[in-house]
Amino acid sequence: MLAVFEKTVANSPEALQSPHSSVPAYALKEGYLANQFVSKNPNSVTLNLGSSGLLAYSLDNHDPLVPRLFAVVDDIFCIFQGHIDNLPFLRQQYGLSKITNEAIMVIEAYRTLRDRGPYPVDKVVRDFHGKFSFILFDGTKSTVFAASDADGSVPFFWGTDAEGHLVLADDTEMVKKGCSKSYSPFPKGCFFTSSGGLRSYEHPKNELKPVPRVDSSGDVCGATFKVDAETKREPTKMPRVDSSQNWAGHI
């Protein structure tokens, strides 16, 4: 799976930018990274998100133990990889049918947050038990929502290209092509949103501290993000509001 988002839609952390990216990489320019993805995955599907970026996925050559799913509901797109072990319980909790798969589950959980906000975002993601990573894009609100499981069980990487666009993918080689050395594994137990940036859902009260990542050549290659036990976040309060209110700005 692959996603590239304009920096106006998803502002990637500055710490991902490597000073040693000697050859600038441009993920969106002339459809470069999308073409690379299609070349490697001939049966893939690419979704042009207009000025927001692109999504691409292939259902070929995936690990049967870590299946890849795609779903779209009301202009909300989700690429999901892995599985949610407690999916039957979550279907009941959200009042969904038995045919609801993981990708649709993520969309419905996001819609609940966006429209009603009854729970903190970290609790919603923490309630997903299993091995997974996902990328969600809300076309109506131009909002990105991405996350990885607590153990980082599913390969998932992110980076930033020379123009500051955010790149997310399950293929490290694809991220390298789009970001040069400005990339790293997506932090386990964390989620990213357009409005809130990167947060830990396992330690929601703590800030995340970037730690430079050094490759075998001794060059700084993006950053890993660790929970800073010394620094606390300001709590995010979500008062109950009418369901007509939009919570996308709080996610």
Side-chain angles (χ1 to χ4, degrees):
M1 61 182 179
L2 170 69
V4 185
F5 297 109
E6 286 274 357
K7 59 184 177 182
T8 54
V9 173
N11 194 14
S12 57
E14 289 185 12
L16 281 178
Q17 187 68 53
S18 170
H20 297 120
S21 293
S22 56
V23 180
Y26 300 93
L28 284 177
K29 191 173 183 179
E30 298 178 351
Y32 171 71
L33 202 56
N35 292 334
Q36 293 292 318
F37 187 85
V38 171
S39 177
K40 186 173 182 178
N41 304 279
N43 296 321
S44 60
V45 175
T46 302
L47 303 171
N48 187 335
L49 304 176
S51 61
S52 296
L54 65 90
L55 290 171
Y57 70 95
S58 172
L59 300 181
D60 294 340
N61 303 321
H62 64 76
D63 185 342
L65 298 178
V66 190
R68 189 177 300 121
L69 302 169
F70 172 78
V72 56
V73 179
D74 294 340
D75 209 27
I76 303 173
F77 304 83
C78 180
I79 307 175
F80 183 98
Q81 189 157 320
H83 55 83
I84 297 176
D85 295 336
N86 61 332
L87 185 59
F89 170 78
L90 293 173
R91 287 176 184 143
Q92 279 192 318
Q93 180 178 332
Y94 285 88
L96 302 173
S97 71
K98 292 182 179 180
I99 63 171
T100 299
N101 64 23
E102 283 89 345
I104 295 176
M105 181 70 250
V106 171
I107 290 175
E108 294 300 336
Y110 166 80
R111 286 211 299 183
T112 300
L113 283 169
R114 185 193 67 180
D115 298 337
R116 298 193 295 277
Y119 311 112
V121 184
D122 55 86
K123 181 185 184 307
V124 171
V125 185
R126 194 165 56 247
D127 283 347
F128 295 158
H129 301 164
K131 299 180 178 181
F132 63 85
S133 62
F134 65 79
I135 305 167
L136 178 147
F137 175 72
D138 182 347
T140 303
K141 301 298 178 183
S142 295
T143 299
V144 175
F145 182 26
S148 176
D149 70 64
D151 297 318
S153 308
V154 177
F156 196 33
F157 305 89
W158 69 335
T160 181
D161 75 352
E163 296 179 305
H165 303 319
L166 180 67
V167 178
L168 296 155
D170 61 344
D171 183 348
T172 181
E173 293 303 319
M174 198 59 56
V175 178
K176 283 182 183 178
K177 288 179 179 180
C179 305
S180 187
K181 290 182 178 288
S182 298
Y183 79 98
S184 68
F186 190 88
K188 61 185 180 181
C190 292
F191 66 93
F192 174 87
T193 62
S194 294
S195 59
L198 183 69
R199 301 184 187 182
S200 168
Y201 59 80
E202 290 203 294
H203 304 278
K205 294 182 179 180
N206 295 91
E207 293 283 1
L208 290 167
K209 178 171 62 176
V211 179
R213 194 169 71 99
V214 180
D215 65 12
S216 57
S217 303
D219 293 339
V220 174
C221 188
T224 56
F225 291 81
K226 306 292 185 182
V227 173
D228 187 348
E230 304 298 323
T231 309
K232 300 294 183 181
R233 296 185 61 92
E234 287 294 323
T236 302
K237 296 181 180 179
M238 289 189 174
R240 289 185 177 276
V241 295
D242 182 78
S243 60
S244 64
Q245 295 291 325
N246 168 39
W247 279 95
H250 297 267
I251 296 176

